[in-house]
């Protein structure tokens, strides 16, 4: 194992979106064009000289659930707004369904929920969608509103006034709106906000079945456990750039969990950090970036520090995310750093 690698950081995942083709749409001469629904090449947006999105490269294949992760202020919403033509990029390019943006016609095939939509509170959920359907392109079929309500898990409350809806129900109505025109791609900014666990489970099933039917789902979320279960691939952004991309399971790594008495924790941390990346995990454990529990056991035992438990396990996406987006893992984890 590479001992200088922070805990949980990607082993095989791509560290950047370097498969962006020379022509910007994934085509390389002599090769078959990959099917991509979303592509960004050097996409940037600055506000008053400060970069919100900074040369972002991204390639999202069709018919998958794709997680777009990053800390607060890392540029996720701004990227989505650029993809929807709501914000003009400062530089760089983007394509949706292979068509260069801005592309007003192409937007008809895109569903989106970027911020909580404003619904008429005195109308029912169903009526709100029917009214909103009058604007924009015609619906694909007569059952489109009912189908979208069903897909968003709202059928049982569809005829209640929106003012009686909980936040999670309003969120689901926003999702129904995004799905109403059978889009080929949906962009969802924090779609699980306000949903209770049952609603989140239903949401996961809905997203899965959308992807199985050919729709590309591109969503941002801070709920990393859900993302890990739901997404086929994820991109992690920090300061407006993609810092890692790949399948969630490739972003995790073997780690050693060491459970200790509180009195031993500081000494154990110092001993282990001299050789391995180390992170505090909960009140009684350390996560050590070593694939070998014996080496950890030996190091502690030689110094007379005895652990309650030493177990090799896999880190989760949250650990990988923290390592990729904070300096904490690097401080503890860089075995080559001067001490
Ligand atoms: N209209 C604007 N004017 C000035 N600065 C902006 C504007 N919109 C976004 N920003 C800034 O751009 C940066 C990226 O913001 P953005 O909303 O895209 O981040 P985010 O990753 O979606 O964050 P969060 O997870 O909190 O939703 C932030 O520093 C934000 O303050």
């Amino acid at each position: 194992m590479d001992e200088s690698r922070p805990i949980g950081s990607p082993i095989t995942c791509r560290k950047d979106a370097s498969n962006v083709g020379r022509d910007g749409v994934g085509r390389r001469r002599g090769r078959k064009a990959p099917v991509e629904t979303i592509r960004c090449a050097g996409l940037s947006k600055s506000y008053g000289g400060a970069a919100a999105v900074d040369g972002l490269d991204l390639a999202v294949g069709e018919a998958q659930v794709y997680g777009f992760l990053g800390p607060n202020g890392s540029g996720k919403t701004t990227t989505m707004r650029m993809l929807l033509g709501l914000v003009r990029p400062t530089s760089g390019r983007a394509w949706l369904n292979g068509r260069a943006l801005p592309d007003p016609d192409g937007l008809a095939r895109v569903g989106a929920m970027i911020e909580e939509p404003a619904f008429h509170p005195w109308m029912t959920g169903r009526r709100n969608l029917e009214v909103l359907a009058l604007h924009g392109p015609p619906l694909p079929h007569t059952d489109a509103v009912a189908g979208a309500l069903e897909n968003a898990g709202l059928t049982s409350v569809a005829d209640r006034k929106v003012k009686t809806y909980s936040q999670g129900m309003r969120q689901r109505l926003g999702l129904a709106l995004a799905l109403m025109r059978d889009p080929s791609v949906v962009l969802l900014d924090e779609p699980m906000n306000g949903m209770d666990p049952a609603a989140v489970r239903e949401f996961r099933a809905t997203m899965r079945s959308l992807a199985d039917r050919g729709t590309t789902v591109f969503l941002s979320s801070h709920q990393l456990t859900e993302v890990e279960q739901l997404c086929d691939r994820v991109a992690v952004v920090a300061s407006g750039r993609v810092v890692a991309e790949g399948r969630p399971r490739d972003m995790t790594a073997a780690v050693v969990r060491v459970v200790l008495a509180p009195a031993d924790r500081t000494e154990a941390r110092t001993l282990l950090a001299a050789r391995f990346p180390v992170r505090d995990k909960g009140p009684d454990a350390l996560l050590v970036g070593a694939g070998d529990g014996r080496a950890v056991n030996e190091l502690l035992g030689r110094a007379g520090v005895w652990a309650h438990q030493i177990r090799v396990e896999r880190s989760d996406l949250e650990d990988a995310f923290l390592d990729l987006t904070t300096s904490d893992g690097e401080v503890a984890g860089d075995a080559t750093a001067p001490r």
Side-chain angles (χ1 to χ4, degrees):
M1 163 157 189
D2 173 5
E3 293 182 359
S4 66
R5 188 166 53 80
I7 296 168
S9 63
I11 310 166
T12 57
C13 70
R14 199 154 46 84
K15 277 279 193 173
D16 55 37
S18 56
N19 68 343
V20 173
R22 288 225 181 91
D23 64 356
V25 291
R27 282 191 293 262
R28 290 195 172 93
R29 279 186 191 88
R31 286 199 201 169
K32 196 167 177 270
V35 183
E36 277 159 3
T37 310
I38 301 172
R39 172 164 285 276
C40 304
L43 196 64
S44 302
K45 178 69 189 177
S46 296
Y47 290 106
V53 176
D54 186 14
L56 185 123
D57 293 331
L58 195 65
V60 179
E62 68 175 355
Q64 57 180 311
V65 184
Y66 196 98
F68 194 43
L69 315 178
N72 291 135
S74 54
K76 303 179 297 296
T77 305
T78 305
T79 301
M80 288 190 177
R81 292 175 73 85
M82 286 193 278
L83 289 171
L84 289 167
L86 299 171
V87 166
R88 187 200 293 262
T90 309
S91 61
R93 298 190 71 193
W95 294 257
L96 275 182
N97 293 318
R99 297 166 67 128
L101 299 180
D103 173 32
D105 294 337
L107 284 177
R109 299 197 60 219
V110 179
M113 184 171 69
I114 294 297
E115 47 221 14
E116 200 177 293
F119 293 112
H120 298 296
W122 63 90
M123 285 186 203
T124 66
R126 188 189 308 278
R127 189 71 192 128
N128 263 284
L129 294 193
E130 287 165 353
V131 168
L132 289 165
L134 300 175
H135 306 285
L139 293 182
H141 48 85
T142 49
D143 296 334
V145 167
L149 287 164
E150 175 74 33
N151 275 332
L154 275 182
T155 303
S156 64
V157 295
D159 296 309
R160 266 172 50 181
K161 289 184 176 166
V162 164
K163 68 181 177 190
T164 70
Y165 279 16
S166 66
Q167 193 204 337
M169 289 175 190
R170 282 197 299 275
Q171 191 81 348
R172 287 202 247 173
L173 191 56
L175 180 62
L177 180 61
L179 299 179
M180 198 165 61
R181 289 193 164 83
D182 287 350
S184 64
V185 51
V186 272
L187 308 184
L188 305 172
D189 198 9
E190 293 289 338
M192 291 178 272
N193 270 3
M195 288 188 189
D196 65 23
V200 166
R201 181 183 286 192
E202 265 179 48
F203 172 82
R204 278 207 313 262
T206 304
M207 295 303 109
R208 199 62 271 154
S209 81
L210 279 174
D212 290 346
R213 282 182 279 144
T215 306
T216 303
V217 178
F218 184 75
L219 59 89
S220 74
S221 179
H222 294 291
Q223 288 158 263
L224 299 182
T225 310
E226 299 302 336
V227 166
E228 198 164 6
Q229 291 180 53
L230 172 63
C231 293
D232 300 301
R233 295 184 77 84
V234 300
V236 179
V237 286
S239 305
R241 282 179 163 270
V242 174
V243 293
E245 200 275 349
R247 295 179 305 179
R249 67 171 172 271
D250 292 335
M251 296 219 172
T252 62
V255 289
V256 179
R257 179 187 288 263
V258 184
V259 180
L260 296 135
D264 294 332
R265 190 188 175 103
T266 307
E267 190 181 353
R269 197 183 202 287
T270 307
L271 283 166
L272 293 167
R275 196 161 147 208
F276 304 110
V278 179
R279 176 189 294 289
D280 290 307
K281 185 76 176 176
D284 63 352
L286 299 173
L287 273 194
V288 186
D292 177 7
R294 192 176 189 283
V296 171
N297 202 2
E298 202 177 315
L299 197 67
L300 293 176
R302 278 214 187 115
V305 177
W306 300 106
H308 290 311
Q309 203 181 82
I310 293 179
R311 192 172 67 221
V312 179
E313 58 184 48
R314 270 204 102 64
S315 63
D316 55 23
L317 188 58
E318 183 179 85
D319 290 313
F321 177 86
L322 290 171
D323 277 322
L324 288 160
T325 59
T326 65
S327 56
D328 175 53
E330 288 160 26
V331 172
D334 186 357
T336 61
R339 288 170 198 282

